[in-house]
């Protein structure tokens, strides 16, 4: 693993020096780090990195718990084969459908077809459900044969593996639907990194009489970054309409026909 990553890294750096590459260094180009761009990249990528670190830490605690069991070796073998290998038949498909849902939803919404965007996500979730249901039936029907493909013959490992696959056969249905709709939300602009969305939320809260101290997003450069307010699960929607060049609000075709009598002079007037 280390050797392959090193070779790929060396090849990538070499391609950056080739003028026929799409992304390459021009002669005389300033090669000093642009910290403005670096900060912008960290602003978007840091939450994802923190999420990955949290998942890795959770995995470490899970493995620590498995290692503390009385039958830790058998449990570790069942977990590695059942979750890492066999359950990937569902997770890989679900991840691919998530990317497909994001693409279909974004393209159709941009083309002015929101109905097709919703239908595309629904079709992706149905495909994922069919795949997850088929793989789940295999987990329930022939778990021993699936584990035997990876050389699992120990009775204790087979017992633990069957129990694990029974749980995974149900959880796969929920995971594939969740990932399909997550891709649809991502493709339609869901998130907190859109300035228009954040500004809309700010205006709405101000009109409701809610005072805000500090910015709402990282797009607004302010010193008090610690007091910013984050929004989650907010999608920006713009409604447009075509109006004629001249819009007449009121049109009076003829008088209303009201007769106003002349003023009557008073008797005291000369």
């Amino acid at each position: 693993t280390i050797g392959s990553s090193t070779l790929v890294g060396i090849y990538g750096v070499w391609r950056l020096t080739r003028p026929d590459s799409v992304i390459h260094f021009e002669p005389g180009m300033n090669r000093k780090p642009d910290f403005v761009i670096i900060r912008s990249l960290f602003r978007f990528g840091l939450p994802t990195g923190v999420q990955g670190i949290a998942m890795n830490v959770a995995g470490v605690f899970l493995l620590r718990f498995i290692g503390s069991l009385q039958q830790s070796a058998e449990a570790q073998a069942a977990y590695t084969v059942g979750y890492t290998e066999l359950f990937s038949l569902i997770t890989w498909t679900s991840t691919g459908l998530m990317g497909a849902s994001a693409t279909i939803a974004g393209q159709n919404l941009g083309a002015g077809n929101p109905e097709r965007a919703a239908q595309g996500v629904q079709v992706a979730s149905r495909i994922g459900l069919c795949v997850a249901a088929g793989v789940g039936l295999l987990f329930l029907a022939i778990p021993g044969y699936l584990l035997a493909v990876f050389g699992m013959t120990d009775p204790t490992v087979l017992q633990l593996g069957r129990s694990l696959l029974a749980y995974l056969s149900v959880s796969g249905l929920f995971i594939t639907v969740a990932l399909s709709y997550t891709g649809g939300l991502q493709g339609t602009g869901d998130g907190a990194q859109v300035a228009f969305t954040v500004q809309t939320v700010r205006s709405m809260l101000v009109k409701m009489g809610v005072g805000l101290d500090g910015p709402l997003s990282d797009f607004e450069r302010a010193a008090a970054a610690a007091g910013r307010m984050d929004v989650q699960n907010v999608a920006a929607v713009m409604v447009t309409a075509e109006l004629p060049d001249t819009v007449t609000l009121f049109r009076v075709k003829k008088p209303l026909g009201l007769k106003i009598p002349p003023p009557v002079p008073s008797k005291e007037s000369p």
Side-chain angles (χ1 to χ4, degrees), residues 18 23 36 112 121 124 133 137 144 178 187 222 224 229 233 236 241 243 258 265 270:
R18 303 295 299 173
I23 301 176
V36 176
V121 176
L137 289 177
M229 179 179 178
N233 298 329
L243 299 176
L258 298 178

Side-chain angles (χ1 to χ4, degrees), residues 134-189:
V135 176
L137 289 177
L138 294 178
F139 287 172
L140 296 174
I142 53 172
Y145 291 100
L146 296 176
L147 294 172
V149 173
F150 297 90
M152 300 287 104
T153 57
D154 185 80
T156 305
V157 176
L158 292 177
Q159 181 182 358
L160 295 175
R162 291 191 184 97
S163 301
L164 177 60
L165 292 179
Y167 285 104
L168 294 179
S169 64
V170 178
S171 63
L173 302 175
F174 296 95
I175 289 177
T176 187
V177 173
L179 291 180
S180 298
Y181 279 92
T182 298
L185 291 174
Q186 292 176 353
T188 53

Side-chain angles (χ1 to χ4, degrees), residues 162-223:
R162 291 191 184 97
S163 301
L164 177 60
L165 292 179
Y167 285 104
L168 294 179
S169 64
V170 178
S171 63
L173 302 175
F174 296 95
I175 289 177
T176 187
V177 173
L179 291 180
S180 298
Y181 279 92
T182 298
L185 291 174
Q186 292 176 353
T188 53
D190 175 74
Q193 302 296 341
V194 182
F196 175 78
T197 305
V198 177
Q199 187 61 35
T200 303
V201 174
R202 170 192 285 266
S203 302
M204 179 186 67
L205 293 177
V206 170
K207 290 183 179 180
M208 294 173 60
V210 179
L212 300 175
D213 296 327
L216 277 176
S217 71
D218 292 330
F219 285 97
E220 302 179 18
R221 299 179 179 179

Side-chain angles (χ1 to χ4, degrees), residues 4-251:
S4 61
S5 301
T6 303
L7 292 177
V8 171
I10 294 174
Y11 176 76
V13 174
W14 176 75
R15 291 296 301 176
L16 290 175
T17 61
R18 303 295 299 173
D20 56 342
S21 299
V22 177
I23 301 176
H24 61 275
F25 293 109
E26 294 287 348
M29 180 180 178
N30 186 8
R31 300 183 182 182
K32 293 182 179 180
D34 192 340
F35 291 100
V36 176
I37 298 179
I38 292 175
R39 284 194 297 267
S40 301
L41 293 175
F42 271 97
R43 185 180 305 140
F44 290 100
L46 189 59
T48 305
V50 172
Q51 181 181 3
I53 294 174
M55 293 179 63
N56 291 331
V57 171
V60 171
F61 280 105
L62 177 61
L63 295 178
R64 182 179 180 276
F65 169 75
I66 295 175
S68 63
L69 299 176
Q70 184 178 1
Q71 299 173 337
S72 59
E74 293 83 355
Q76 179 67 38
Y79 171 79
T80 302
V81 174
Y83 185 81
T84 307
E85 303 297 336
L86 293 176
F87 194 62
S88 62
L89 297 174
I90 298 177
T91 56
W92 286 355
T93 306
S94 302
T95 304
L97 290 173
M98 181 178 66
S101 299
T103 303
I104 293 174
Q107 290 180 350
N108 284 280
L109 190 63
N113 299 317
E115 294 82 7
R116 290 189 61 187
Q119 293 175 0
V121 176
Q122 294 174 1
V123 170
S125 64
R126 291 169 188 168
I127 295 174
L129 277 176
C130 293
V131 174
V135 176
L137 289 177
L138 294 178
F139 287 172
L140 296 174
I142 53 172
Y145 291 100
L146 296 176
L147 294 172
V149 173
F150 297 90
M152 300 287 104
T153 57
D154 185 80
T156 305
V157 176
L158 292 177
Q159 181 182 358
L160 295 175
R162 291 191 184 97
S163 301
L164 177 60
L165 292 179
Y167 285 104
L168 294 179
S169 64
V170 178
S171 63
L173 302 175
F174 296 95
I175 289 177
T176 187
V177 173
L179 291 180
S180 298
Y181 279 92
T182 298
L185 291 174
Q186 292 176 353
T188 53
D190 175 74
Q193 302 296 341
V194 182
F196 175 78
T197 305
V198 177
Q199 187 61 35
T200 303
V201 174
R202 170 192 285 266
S203 302
M204 179 186 67
L205 293 177
V206 170
K207 290 183 179 180
M208 294 173 60
V210 179
L212 300 175
D213 296 327
L216 277 176
S217 71
D218 292 330
F219 285 97
E220 302 179 18
R221 299 179 179 179
R228 68 183 179 91
M229 179 179 178
D230 295 327
V231 294
Q232 296 180 357
N233 298 329
V234 177
V237 178
M238 179 179 294
V239 179
T240 61
E242 295 183 1
L243 299 176
D245 297 336
T246 304
V247 179
T248 304
L249 298 180
F250 300 97
R251 179 179 298 175

